Amino acid sequence: MAEQPLHEHMLANGLRVVVCEDHVVPLAAVNIWYGVGSRHEVAGRTGLAHLFEHLMFQGSGNVAEGEHAALLESAGATFNASTSFERTNYYETVPVSHLELALWLEADRMGTLPAALTQANLDNQRDVVKNERRQRYDNQPYGTAFERLCRLTFPAGHPYAHTPIGSMEDLDATTLEDCADFFGTWYAPGNAVLSIVGDVDPEAALAAVERYFGGLPAGPAAPAARPGDLGPLGEVRVERVDEDVPSPAYFAMFPLPGDGGADIEAAELAVEILGGGSGSRLYDRMVRRDEIATEVWAGVTRLVGGPSLAIVDAVGPDPAKIAEVLDEELARFAAEGPDADETARATAQAERGFLEQTETVTGLANALSANATQFGDPARVFSAPSRAAAVTADQIKDMAGRWLVPGSRTALNYGGAS
């Protein structure tokens, strides 16, 4: 995808706005990123960022409970939200004739959500989140693996040591006052980016944003997030997990460089070569050749305020053997680096991932908000393929030798021998 012209504007209250024309289909994607996620939570109140993702759909000053979703559904829109360590986003894709409806709804809950914060809504959505935790984490095979690995990887109290879903105990302890304080602290125009992509006239779209959002008070400046730096671990920490799972398995986590520099580009290519699908080194060794695993996968979670994270999942009858072979392949990769074909394939996969991420107005709007929020430059999204293509085999080898080495990971042993 060639770089597309962007129209940027900053409202007086601090809201950053990005508009990108795309006249292929008569749709408009509206996407808001708030710079708040689980890393901004305090001890004893984990899960608030994700809980707020749910509360934001329960009405606002001029929107009754249930009406937000009903209005968007009647307009033929698709909409959702998500929470991560570093941000919470809200998005809807509407027929372009309903763009102003989407903007009005987002502005109303940004400006007036506390009017709809009732004990009944809090109790209801707290139960929804707790049920989500049961279904997606606690009662799923391997469902708590990522959460366990984060606790093993990060020191207690570190901003990335807990995941966005939060704990049952903290959710139960959350009060209406906690919610009002959280909203007042983080849900301000100056802590948000609004992106609009689609069949729009930029000047008209910016005028509509000014009309609906311009009157909202700026609110306080967001507090500085706690430092999240973490280097290579320099040791292996293993936890045995005795759960009823379909098969023994071995899960590993490696800290990686934070997002934004050349090292993370090399790191992601290295992880792709090692475990990114059926053409990877780990799959070839563990599944095809040694037949010690039935599934192997590796991937990267990029983070800006702390280390990015590489995850390796392998399902097989002997987790100890999987760990042994993983060490051998990591050592070989760090010593030899990738060959030319592996580097080319990984680079092509990075470009494919970029195209998949941005091929729709919904995806492009989210990518623009992400890059504006995290790097201050929405247009940075368009340089993703060239950043990956600029990485050399020697850079991949050097990065692997510093971060992806046998003695630098945390791991979970499901059902194997101690």
Side-chain angles (χ1 to χ4, degrees):
M1 173 189 287
E3 181 168 343
Q4 296 172 250
L6 302 180
H7 305 266
E8 299 184 58
H9 180 63
M10 181 77 77
L11 270 59
N13 58 19
L15 179 66
R16 184 169 187 172
V17 187
V18 183
V19 180
C20 181
E21 294 178 80
D22 185 330
H23 300 292
V24 175
V25 290
L27 298 173
V30 174
N31 184 291
I32 293 187
W33 270 48
Y34 291 92
V36 58
S38 60
R39 73 164 301 207
H40 303 93
E41 296 164 350
V42 299
R45 290 297 182 270
T46 65
L48 253 176
H50 178 234
L51 177 61
F52 244 88
E53 174 198 323
H54 290 257
L55 290 172
M56 285 280 277
F57 286 94
Q58 297 307 297
S60 48
N62 298 291
V63 179
E65 182 180 352
E67 192 176 8
H68 187 107
L71 287 169
L72 288 172
E73 287 168 354
S74 68
T78 58
F79 57 96
N80 213 328
S82 68
T83 309
S84 77
F85 286 108
E86 300 184 321
R87 58 52 179 174
T88 308
N89 70 335
Y90 301 86
Y91 52 96
E92 48 272 319
T93 298
V94 298
V96 70
S97 56
H98 288 79
L99 171 61
E100 295 206 20
L101 170 65
L103 294 175
W104 176 74
L105 287 169
E106 290 293 357
D108 200 62
R109 61 183 177 180
M110 179 186 282
T112 68
L113 184 85
L117 274 178
T118 66
Q119 190 65 49
N121 276 342
L122 172 58
D123 292 342
N124 175 269
Q125 293 309 303
R126 175 167 37 213
D127 287 344
V128 169
V129 172
K130 289 168 66 176
N131 193 48
E132 179 183 343
R133 180 180 173 93
R134 294 185 192 99
Q135 291 182 343
R136 294 179 55 191
Y137 299 86
D138 298 336
N139 298 331
Q140 276 286 328
Y142 320 112
T144 59
F146 186 75
E147 185 176 49
R148 290 174 181 272
L149 286 169
C150 286
R151 285 202 299 264
L152 270 179
T153 301
F154 298 101
H158 190 281
Y160 294 90
H162 72 277
T163 57
I165 193 64
S167 74
M168 291 288 199
E169 295 77 14
D170 288 356
L171 288 167
D172 283 336
T174 297
T175 66
L176 273 177
E177 183 180 3
D178 293 329
C179 294
D181 288 346
F182 193 84
F183 181 85
T185 301
W186 300 106
Y187 277 76
N191 196 38
V193 170
L194 167 64
S195 294
I196 301 171
V197 177
D199 189 20
V200 298
D201 172 77
E203 289 189 8
L206 289 172
V209 171
E210 186 70 57
R211 189 158 58 250
Y212 294 113
F213 291 86
L216 302 182
R226 291 175 293 149
D229 294 342
L230 188 74
L233 294 180
E235 63 177 332
V236 177
R237 306 171 195 159
V238 183
E239 177 183 295
R240 179 185 168 88
V241 184
D242 292 309
E243 288 184 354
D244 184 14
V245 292
S247 171
Y250 188 82
F251 287 60
M253 176 179 282
F254 300 78
L256 294 176
D259 199 2
D263 272 357
I264 188 57
E265 306 296 339
E268 189 151 34
L269 294 178
V271 173
E272 174 67 24
I273 293 165
L274 282 166
S278 59
S280 68
R281 289 190 177 200
L282 293 178
Y283 191 95
D284 183 62
R285 174 75 189 276
M286 294 185 184
V287 179
R288 289 199 184 94
R289 291 163 50 194
D290 292 3
E291 297 182 343
I292 61 171
T294 56
E295 301 173 33
V296 179
W297 172 87
V300 172
T301 297
R302 291 196 182 205
L303 298 171
V304 175
S308 299
L309 301 169
I311 309 291
V312 178
D313 303 346
V315 177
D318 189 348
K321 182 62 176 176
I322 288 172
E324 179 184 328
V325 171
L326 175 61
D327 280 345
E328 292 174 7
E329 290 301 314
L330 291 174
R332 184 167 73 92
F333 190 69
E336 301 173 0
D339 62 33
D341 286 344
E342 287 176 323
T343 303
R345 285 198 302 271
T347 302
Q349 183 60 32
E351 182 174 7
R352 177 185 174 185
F354 161 77
L355 293 172
E356 290 175 348
Q357 178 191 35
T358 58
E359 65 184 351
T360 66
V361 292
T362 303
L364 180 56
N366 190 63
L368 292 172
S369 291
N371 281 273
T373 301
Q374 297 180 316
F375 305 107
D377 179 14
R380 183 179 180 275
V381 64
F382 299 114
S383 65
S386 62
R387 292 197 306 272
V391 177
T392 66
D394 284 343
Q395 288 174 311
I396 296 172
K397 176 177 178 291
D398 175 70
M399 193 289 313
R402 288 182 287 127
W403 293 86
L404 293 168
V405 293
S408 182
R409 67 174 179 272
T410 54
L412 303 176
N413 183 328
Y414 280 88
S418 299

